[in-house]
């Protein structure tokens, strides 16, 4: 056969064989990829739910043998410490109301009762202790602040804190909005919904 079609037939057949081999390789690669993904997911699930292994009826060793690549990938998974959810106030005491506090200086005097006048020193911040957002400080003014404790003259968190402090005691307290100025804020300085941070000290009971 001397026609161009006859000449092209072997080439077409060869190309067809090449394409067939490529398709087979692609299918094999996709199957391996699928097994790797499934293996990784299942292995991670096993590591997170080891106590439920018997309930699931999964033979871990058999599974590892069936998907070595997936299990190997899962075994190298480690939590990134940069994303760890660490509580900066883990050493604070949390009350039923949600106030957090830490005693930084022990007191040795009496504890006030509701209705008594107390003299205090304090510093208040937004966004954490010693942040650049200090909004008030009796220490900076050089003048202690006095009020009648437990009489609603101050924010709720202050009444709660000072009613459990001894004279001479100093604390750091963290007040959620409901114990501070709530959603309304205050004076154009404290925004609504703000958590407040105070360093407070009970100087004496008057």
């Amino acid at each position: 056969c001397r026609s161009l079609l006859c000449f092209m037939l072997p080439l077409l057949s060869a190309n067809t064989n090449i394409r067939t081999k490529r398709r087979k390789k692609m299918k094999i690669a996709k199957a391996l990829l699928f097994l790797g993904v499934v293996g990784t997911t299942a292995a991670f699930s096993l590591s997170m739910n080891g106590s439920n292994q018997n309930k699931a009826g999964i033979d871990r060793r058999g599974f590892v043998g069936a998907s070595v690549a997936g299990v190997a990938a899962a075994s190298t998974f480690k939590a990134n410490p940069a994303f760890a959810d660490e509580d900066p106030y883990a050493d604070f005491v949390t009350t039923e109301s949600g106030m957090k506090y830490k005693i930084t200086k022990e007191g040795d005097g009496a504890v006030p009762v509701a209705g008594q006048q107390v003299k205090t020193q304090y510093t208040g911040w937004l966004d954490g202790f010693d942040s650049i957002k200090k909004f008030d400080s009796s220490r900076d003014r050089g003048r202690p602040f006095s009020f009648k404790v437990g009489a609603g003259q101050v924010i709720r968190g202050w009444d709660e804190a000072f009613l459990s402090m001894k004279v001479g005691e100093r604390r750091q307290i963290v007040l959620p909005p409901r114990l501070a100025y709530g959603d309304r804020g205050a004076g154009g300085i404290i925004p609504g919904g703000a958590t407040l941070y105070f360093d407070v000290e009970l100087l004496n009971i008057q």
Side-chain angles (χ1 to χ4, degrees), residues 105-110 166-169:
K105 176 188 172 187
E106 293 286 352
D108 57 5
K166 296 178 181 179
V167 171
E169 184 177 320

Side-chain angles (χ1 to χ4, degrees), residues 46-102:
L46 283 172
S47 67
M48 295 298 289
N49 298 283
S51 62
N52 295 324
Q53 189 172 12
N54 292 333
K55 294 179 182 179
I58 298 174
D59 183 343
R60 183 187 290 269
R61 287 175 297 178
F63 178 79
V64 170
S67 55
V68 175
V71 175
S75 67
T76 61
F77 175 81
K78 293 182 180 180
N80 189 334
F83 295 97
D85 186 15
E86 297 180 358
D87 182 3
Y89 306 111
D91 57 341
F92 281 54
V93 175
T94 302
T95 68
E96 291 183 1
S97 68
M99 178 180 72
K100 297 178 186 292
Y101 74 88
K102 181 172 74 172

Side-chain angles (χ1 to χ4, degrees), residues 1-10:
C1 179
R2 297 182 180 180
S3 70
L4 182 60
L5 180 60
C6 292
F7 176 75
M8 291 295 293
L9 282 175

Side-chain angles (χ1 to χ4, degrees), residues 30-171:
K30 288 180 180 178
L32 290 175
L33 179 61
F34 175 77
L35 286 175
V37 171
V38 171
T40 301
T41 303
F44 181 73
S45 178
L46 283 172
S47 67
M48 295 298 289
N49 298 283
S51 62
N52 295 324
Q53 189 172 12
N54 292 333
K55 294 179 182 179
I58 298 174
D59 183 343
R60 183 187 290 269
R61 287 175 297 178
F63 178 79
V64 170
S67 55
V68 175
V71 175
S75 67
T76 61
F77 175 81
K78 293 182 180 180
N80 189 334
F83 295 97
D85 186 15
E86 297 180 358
D87 182 3
Y89 306 111
D91 57 341
F92 281 54
V93 175
T94 302
T95 68
E96 291 183 1
S97 68
M99 178 180 72
K100 297 178 186 292
Y101 74 88
K102 181 172 74 172
I103 298 174
T104 58
K105 176 188 172 187
E106 293 286 352
D108 57 5
V111 177
V113 296
Q116 288 186 309
Q117 192 82 0
V118 295
K119 182 184 285 187
T120 71
Q121 291 277 29
Y122 71 91
T123 303
W125 297 269
L126 298 168
D127 296 344
F129 298 104
D130 299 317
S131 75
I132 61 173
K133 294 185 178 181
K134 181 195 296 185
F135 59 82
D136 195 10
S137 176
S138 63
R139 297 184 179 96
D140 291 350
R141 291 193 300 271
R143 188 173 69 250
F145 174 70
S146 296
F147 69 99
K148 188 178 290 187
V149 67
Q153 293 183 350
V154 293
I155 55 180
R156 287 177 55 197
W158 268 46
D159 274 337
E160 180 182 343
F162 282 102
L163 281 171
S164 62
M165 292 176 67
K166 296 178 181 179
V167 171
E169 184 177 320
R170 186 167 178 170
R171 292 183 181 184

